[in-house]
């Protein structure tokens, strides 16, 4: 069987790459595409999830294996976006009568969950717009020969950590999944992670049964949620244990916060990468210049 046949949708080990993005991250997304095309293999296609308003801006990036997906194809029609009246920087709000107003980072999480109902690939690997690959990456490594999919998990991390947003997200994940306000001891949040497509669909069904409402409405009513935490808890506490294998290695070396990095700082950051790390991500809100990163990685 050829590599193309193994990567094709519907094959037991097929993998799609998924990025939820928006116009403000365009230059970061451009660098992601350039480095992904240079270093990544073993995937069927790269799906880019954007708002209807941004779809036309992203169309030039389409190609044989990169497809732009309008959120209108994924999310319920009763969820509408509008300009944020309290923000003059072009930010938007998503409104419905079924839940609290949602912002862009909420909607990106919803898109990532929703795409599972629209693909045939066995697994999904999520790449944020600010990820840049610097080493070879084979997406097939997220699926073992028995079909089980890699689940990133920092074991007992929330036990060691003082109260934080992660604890809130874990507790809300418990509510959404019908477990009450329980908290998992584990942390599932990272950049460059994999989900098993059928498990995401089962998670959606679990949410709707537990909350007696559409899954998007259930999450909108919580508002403080993490898609990684919900999926991680579902996989560990409800799903068949043979569907996943755990790994606590972070494949993406991420700069989560602090002052913007200069070229020298970026070089030092790359030098500190772990042996199994294949990508870097400088969070956009740190103010690190994407041009500096492009010059450093070549």
């Amino acid at each position: 069987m050829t590599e193309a046949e193994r990567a094709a949708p519907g094959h037991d080990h097929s993998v799609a790459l998924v990025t939820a993005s928006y116009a403000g991250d365009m230059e970061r997304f451009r660098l992601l595409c350039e480095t992904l095309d240079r270093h990544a293999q073993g995937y069927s296609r790269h799906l880019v999830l954007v708002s209807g308003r941004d779809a036309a801006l992203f169309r030039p990036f389409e190609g044989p294996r990169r497809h732009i997906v309008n959120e209108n194809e994924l999310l319920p029609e009763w969820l509408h976006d509008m300009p944020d009246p309290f923000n003059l920087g072009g930010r938007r709000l998503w409104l419905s009568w079924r839940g609290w107003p949602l912002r862009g980072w909420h909607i990106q999480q919803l898109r990532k969950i929703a795409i599972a109902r629209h693909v045939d690939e066995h697994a999904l690997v999520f790449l944020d717009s600010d990820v840049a690959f610097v080493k070879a990456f084979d997406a097939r490594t997220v699926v073992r020969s028995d079909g089980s999919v890699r689940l990133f998990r920092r074991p007992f991390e929330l036990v060691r950590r003082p109260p934080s947003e992660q604890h809130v997200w874990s507790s809300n994940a418990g509510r959404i999944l019908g477990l009450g306000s329980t908290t998992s001891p584990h942390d599932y949040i990272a950049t460059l992670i994999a989900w098993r497509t059928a498990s995401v669909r089962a998670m959606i069904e679990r949410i709707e049964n537990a909350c007696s409402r559409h899954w998007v409405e259930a999450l909108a009513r919580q508002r403080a949620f993490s898609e990684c935490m919900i999926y991680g808890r579902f996989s560990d506490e409800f799903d068949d244990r043979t569907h996943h294998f755990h790994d606590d290695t972070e494949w993406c070396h991420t700069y989560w916060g602090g002052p913007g990095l200069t070229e020298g700082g970026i070089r030092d950051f790359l030098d500190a990468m772990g042996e199994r790390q294949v990508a870097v991500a400088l969070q956009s809100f740190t103010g690190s210049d994407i041009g500096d990163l492009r010059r450093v990685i070549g």
Side-chain angles (χ1 to χ4, degrees):
M1 181 177 291
T2 66
E3 178 181 337
E5 289 172 330
R6 286 193 297 270
H11 185 268
D12 285 348
H13 292 182
S14 60
V15 179
L17 307 184
V18 181
T19 300
S21 193
Y22 78 110
D25 268 354
M26 183 70 73
E27 288 309 308
R28 290 176 171 80
F29 176 76
R30 188 186 308 278
L31 183 59
L32 165 64
C33 293
E34 292 172 4
T35 60
L36 187 158
D37 293 345
R38 188 184 311 154
H39 293 291
Q41 63 175 331
Y43 64 96
S44 62
R45 50 188 175 159
H46 180 203
L47 302 173
V48 185
L49 319 181
V50 298
S51 72
R53 185 173 301 276
D54 289 344
L57 295 174
F58 281 84
R59 292 291 177 202
F61 290 98
E62 283 196 312
R65 290 203 295 171
R66 181 165 295 117
H67 307 285
I68 307 305
V69 181
N70 188 323
E71 73 176 27
N72 296 336
E73 302 172 35
L74 305 176
L75 300 179
E77 60 183 9
W78 42 260
L79 191 61
H80 303 282
D81 69 314
M82 62 167 286
D84 183 350
F86 302 105
N87 187 287
L88 301 178
R91 295 185 182 274
R92 303 186 72 80
L93 292 175
W94 278 256
L95 305 176
S96 84
W97 56 269
R98 300 192 183 197
W100 293 102
L102 300 175
R103 297 191 180 275
W105 65 82
H106 296 117
I107 298 300
Q108 290 197 16
Q109 295 183 64
L110 298 182
R111 293 176 196 152
K112 290 160 68 175
I113 296 172
I115 192 63
R117 283 184 163 174
H118 298 265
V119 300
D120 295 323
E121 283 86 356
H122 181 68
L124 306 170
V125 172
F126 294 95
L127 320 167
D128 290 342
S129 293
D130 48 17
V131 169
F133 285 90
V134 296
K135 299 178 186 176
F137 172 64
D138 190 335
R140 289 168 296 192
T141 58
V142 306
V143 184
R144 284 183 171 169
S145 59
D146 61 0
S148 59
V149 175
R150 181 184 190 264
L151 175 64
F152 175 81
R153 186 179 79 173
R154 295 187 190 89
F156 301 101
E157 176 68 18
L158 297 191
V159 175
R160 294 188 288 268
R161 183 180 298 182
S164 64
E165 280 187 313
Q166 278 87 340
H167 292 83
V168 175
W169 295 335
S170 182
S171 178
N172 285 345
R175 294 188 181 93
I176 290 165
L177 294 169
L179 295 168
S181 57
T182 59
T183 301
S184 168
H186 312 306
D187 185 12
Y188 303 93
I189 299 172
T191 304
L192 192 49
I193 60 169
W195 289 355
R196 179 177 175 271
T197 305
S199 295
V200 184
R201 295 172 184 161
M203 179 187 78
I204 291 172
E205 183 176 353
R206 172 68 196 183
I207 293 171
E208 293 185 336
N209 289 337
C211 299
S212 299
R213 52 177 51 93
H214 193 284
W215 68 271
V216 171
E217 180 182 353
L219 269 64
R221 284 171 176 251
Q222 289 292 339
R223 205 164 185 272
F225 59 85
S226 161
E227 82 282 28
C228 298
M229 201 69 80
I230 299 169
Y231 180 81
R233 292 202 62 179
F234 173 82
S235 299
D236 271 348
E237 299 177 52
F238 290 99
D239 208 5
D240 189 315
R241 291 185 180 274
T242 65
H243 289 167
H244 296 87
F245 64 94
H246 294 120
D247 191 342
D248 64 355
T249 301
E250 293 188 58
W251 284 348
C252 183
H253 188 39
T254 304
Y255 185 61
W256 291 107
L261 296 180
T262 62
E263 278 195 45
I266 292 172
R267 293 184 189 279
D268 292 341
F269 184 72
L270 266 66
D271 287 343
M273 289 179 66
E275 183 178 348
R276 292 181 61 193
Q277 292 182 320
V278 298
V280 295
L282 309 180
Q283 293 293 310
S284 57
F285 53 77
T286 66
S288 300
D289 189 280
I290 193 66
D292 288 342
L293 177 59
R294 182 185 294 279
R295 283 187 290 273
V296 169
I297 65 178

